[in-house]
Amino acid sequence: MILAQQIISGLATGSLYALAALGLVLIFKTSDVVNFAQGEMAMFGTFIAFTLMMKGGVPYWGAFVLALVFAAVFGMLIERIVIRPLSTAPLISVLIATLGLLNIINGVAGWIWGYDPKPFPTGISGAPIRVGGLVFTLPTLLNLAVALVLMLAFFALFKYSLMGIAMRAVAENRLAARLVGVHTNRVLAITWGLGGILAATAGILIAPVTTLSINMMAEMQVKAFTAGVLGGFTSLPGAVVGGLLLGVLENLVGQFIPQLKTPFAFALIVLVLIFRPAGLLGTVQRKKV
Amino acid sequence: MAILELSGVTVRFGGIVAVNQLDMKVEEGTIHGLIGPNGAGKSTVFNVLSRYYEPAEGTVTFDGRNLLQYQPSQVVGLGIARTFQNVELFRGLTVWENLMVGQHHNIRYGMFAAALGGLLPRVRQAEQEARDRAMEVLEFLGIAAHRDAYPQFLPYGIQKRVEFARALVSRPRLILLDEPAAGMNPSETEELAQLIKIMRDKYETTVLLVEHDMSLVMSICERITVMDFGRKIADGTPAEVQANPAVIKAYLGEEEVEAEHA
């Protein structure tokens, strides 16, 4: 029973990792860019929601939605101002640029909102649900549900909608996509907008656990990368499965040696890259040369 | 009436002149061949029409509009679709999804509509039209049975048809075929010739074709432009071109050179 409860609490943390990983995977899948600034985009969006609630008196869900709108615009601006001018630069330049963005967004957020951690409210509260001897808190259930719904929604978007199919075409061969009439810049802008929305969603759901601060995503982002790698980095279901698995494994490790939780995540990245580079649900990427 | 008109088009790569002062008119509704020895500049012309190469000089008018002021991704929307010398289908997409990409230029909606996907009637209607069109073209080309296959696992001839289909679903007024008969045996080439003619008639389009297979060019083209070393050396009907001394020299000259190297 203790083991089962440990697994449930692992799923709770894991759903947060999954949420953070979804945006990373979405952007990587479509544009080959590993966005190191994804976590800071999440943090910034969460501060926007916080400011709307505290200073603007906007209720929780209103602030949530407005923060998502902001995050979408923010994501598209990043694509337009930073990523698009680098579209012909080597990939490593883009990676360095997103690392730069990480520090810029972090620094600006500190300048605006200061460096003290702030408590952040949850979307739902109430008595935990008990099933048998197991305890489920409401925020945990909400996080799990949001992660699963977003995963399914984006999976369907990629699989069935014209926009999603175009995103996959752009991901595979940007030039060929352009020559058959795909407005690749628009597709990439939309990808980054959606990436921004995923980031802010993750941030707002994570903040009650980590408390809101400019460094709230620092550790979370490492976990999101692990979740992504574990799942294959091109697979949205993989990101969710990877996140949940990481949460559970980490919790079990942490029960015996709490200090090794974070080293465990890094060890997992290295091991997966060595023994199963395509991840659990990813497909091997073969680029045409 | 000419649907496509190139005038004085010159393309340079560094010091090399790939296309030199090319004038060419393609009449609406014709099947027009663009031929010439290797390195004559034919594919460069196609890449100018796709807006992939920027000409140093000259004008290109398509359907009364200055083509050179459009972006590569807008060319399909104007009504020019193309196939590629080495089939360029998306490997991670099924045949059906490749055809959906070919219609992307028709879709005009923003991010939130995209995110909501099928929930908006406007989006749903646009996507339904795209699906109907794709199904019709697949049936016309006789490849409907392969709609859910991944192109890389299909025979080469079928892949070529899929590329034709992707070009056709965009409702082109001009379709550019880059060496469609490459890698085909004579009976497949004969079948292809019929297909191009029927396609032109059924979809009321204009065809501009770069091709090395002279039997194909001579049997289906109504007009032919011949290039050599980036210049136009002749144009006219197949009979006129075949009798043109400059054309004979360009082709025989090339054969002599090849014979020496052999």
Side-chain angles (χ1 to χ4, degrees):
Chain A
M1 202 46 106
I2 292 173
L3 182 70
Q5 190 62 51
Q6 282 297 327
I7 290 174
I8 288 165
S9 109
L11 288 176
T13 346
S15 63
L16 301 178
Y17 300 160
L19 282 167
L22 276 173
L24 274 179
V25 169
L26 175 79
I27 288 178
F28 179 76
K29 203 175 154 71
T30 312
S31 61
D32 273 349
V33 174
V34 177
N35 180 22
F36 287 111
Q38 187 75 12
E40 305 312 290
M41 288 164 67
M43 174 273 292
F44 208 89
T46 311
F47 265 110
I48 296 288
F50 181 79
T51 307
L52 286 168
M53 279 187 273
M54 299 303 151
K55 299 265 161 60
V58 182
Y60 180 89
W61 292 107
F64 199 143
V65 171
L66 289 174
L68 294 191
V69 173
F70 167 85
V73 175
F74 191 41
M76 287 194 284
L77 278 178
I78 288 176
E79 191 276 335
R80 184 69 195 84
I81 296 169
V82 182
I83 307 297
R84 195 180 302 177
L86 292 173
S87 63
T88 54
L91 219 45
I92 186 78
S93 310
V94 187
L95 294 188
I96 301 298
T98 68
L99 269 178
L101 265 177
L102 183 162
N103 288 295
I104 293 168
I105 299 172
N106 191 278
V108 170
W111 173 60
I112 300 176
W113 289 293
Y115 303 89
D116 303 324
K118 300 164 177 67
F120 193 89
T122 51
I124 46 173
S125 51
I129 296 171
R130 289 172 192 281
V131 180
L134 303 176
V135 182
F136 297 86
T137 68
L138 293 181
T140 294
L141 293 175
L142 175 72
N143 294 347
L144 267 175
V146 172
L148 290 175
V149 166
L150 285 176
M151 175 192 88
L152 289 174
F154 276 89
F155 187 76
L157 173 84
F158 269 99
K159 187 89 188 124
Y160 301 112
S161 80
L162 286 193
M163 182 53 75
I165 293 169
M167 283 175 173
R168 282 153 60 201
V170 169
E172 183 179 322
N173 187 337
R174 201 175 293 184
L175 175 63
R178 187 172 298 160
L179 291 179
V180 300
V182 177
H183 302 292
T184 49
N185 285 338
R186 199 191 302 165
V187 168
L188 290 171
I190 289 174
T191 303
W192 279 81
L194 294 173
I197 288 179
L198 283 175
T201 308
I204 290 171
L205 295 178
I206 287 168
V209 179
T210 58
T211 71
L212 176 64
S213 81
I214 58 165
N215 294 323
M216 64 179 268
M217 292 302 287
E219 198 193 331
M220 198 55 79
Q221 207 49 29
V222 172
K223 304 300 169 60
F225 273 109
T226 315
V229 170
L230 205 53
F233 233 91
T234 51
S235 158
L236 294 164
V240 172
V241 171
L244 296 178
L245 197 61
L246 174 66
V248 171
L249 288 176
E250 193 189 65
N251 222 31
L252 296 178
V253 170
Q255 191 170 10
F256 300 109
I257 321 169
Q259 296 85 344
L260 289 187
K261 262 182 142 181
T262 301
F264 174 75
F266 279 104
L268 206 56
I269 290 192
V270 174
L271 286 174
V272 171
L273 288 176
I274 292 173
F275 293 108
R276 203 176 156 78
L280 297 175
L281 299 180
T283 45
V284 180
Q285 293 287 297
R286 272 172 309 214
K287 293 261 167 190
K288 224 172 163 181
V289 283
Chain B
M1 196 199 107
I3 189 164
L4 177 73
E5 187 166 354
L6 284 77
S7 168
V9 169
T10 298
V11 181
R12 293 195 190 94
F13 300 117
I16 299 163
V17 183
V19 176
N20 196 348
Q21 294 291 327
L22 178 70
D23 298 323
M24 181 169 81
K25 268 187 191 178
V26 176
E27 298 294 324
E28 185 154 19
T30 56
I31 299 177
H32 192 120
L34 178 59
I35 64 170
N38 284 327
K42 310 176 298 288
S43 289
T44 307
V45 172
F46 267 26
N47 284 330
V48 166
L49 297 177
S50 289
R51 296 288 295 119
Y52 182 43
Y53 292 159
E54 195 68 47
E57 291 161 30
T59 59
V60 180
T61 311
F62 173 71
D63 199 18
R65 277 182 281 204
N66 173 12
L67 185 67
L68 300 184
Q69 69 185 20
Y70 292 91
Q71 295 290 316
S73 61
Q74 294 175 311
V75 169
V76 174
L78 287 176
I80 304 179
R82 70 174 290 180
T83 67
F84 298 86
Q85 201 170 332
N86 310 308
V87 176
E88 288 280 357
L89 292 164
F90 297 102
R91 294 146 63 97
L93 271 54
T94 64
V95 167
W96 179 255
E97 290 167 346
N98 267 283
L99 265 59
M100 291 293 133
V101 174
Q103 304 189 67
H104 192 259
H105 68 95
N106 270 330
I107 306 298
R108 311 212 170 278
Y109 50 71
M111 181 174 65
F112 290 100
L116 294 171
L119 302 179
L120 296 179
R122 186 165 56 96
V123 175
R124 202 156 44 194
Q125 194 195 341
E127 302 208 346
Q128 188 56 47
E129 281 169 15
R131 278 191 284 270
D132 292 346
R133 172 88 178 166
M135 203 58 221
E136 193 242 301
V137 170
L138 281 179
E139 276 166 8
F140 166 68
L141 291 171
I143 50 176
H146 302 292
R147 57 166 276 177
D148 294 320
Y150 286 89
Q152 53 182 324
F153 302 118
L154 294 171
Y156 188 65
I158 304 287
Q159 291 188 26
K160 289 234 158 193
R161 284 184 182 235
V162 176
E163 230 194 5
F164 270 48
R166 184 175 64 189
L168 278 177
V169 290
S170 70
R171 302 168 190 270
R173 301 196 50 209
L174 171 66
I175 182 161
L176 310 175
L177 303 177
D178 197 351
E179 298 200 25
M184 287 190 173
N185 65 35
S187 79
E188 285 169 338
T189 304
E190 176 53 32
E191 212 177 300
L192 176 73
Q194 294 309 316
L195 183 67
I196 293 173
K197 274 199 265 189
I198 300 170
M199 180 178 88
R200 186 264 310 262
D201 297 340
K202 180 173 159 73
Y203 292 100
E204 295 174 342
T205 183
T206 306
V207 177
L208 176 61
L209 137 117
V210 161
E211 185 50 68
H212 279 295
D213 186 310
M214 285 304 135
S215 66
L216 177 69
V217 173
M218 295 303 163
S219 72
I220 64 170
C221 292
E222 286 128 8
R223 303 288 297 183
I224 294 174
T225 300
V226 189
M227 291 179 74
D228 194 17
F229 294 112
R231 290 178 179 279
K232 180 171 82 175
I233 57 171
D235 66 12
T237 63
E240 286 165 5
V241 164
Q242 277 173 301
N244 187 313
V247 176
I248 295 166
K249 182 161 167 271
Y251 274 88
L252 287 183
E254 191 196 36
E255 276 172 20
E256 274 168 16
V257 172
E258 277 174 3
E260 278 167 24
H261 284 282

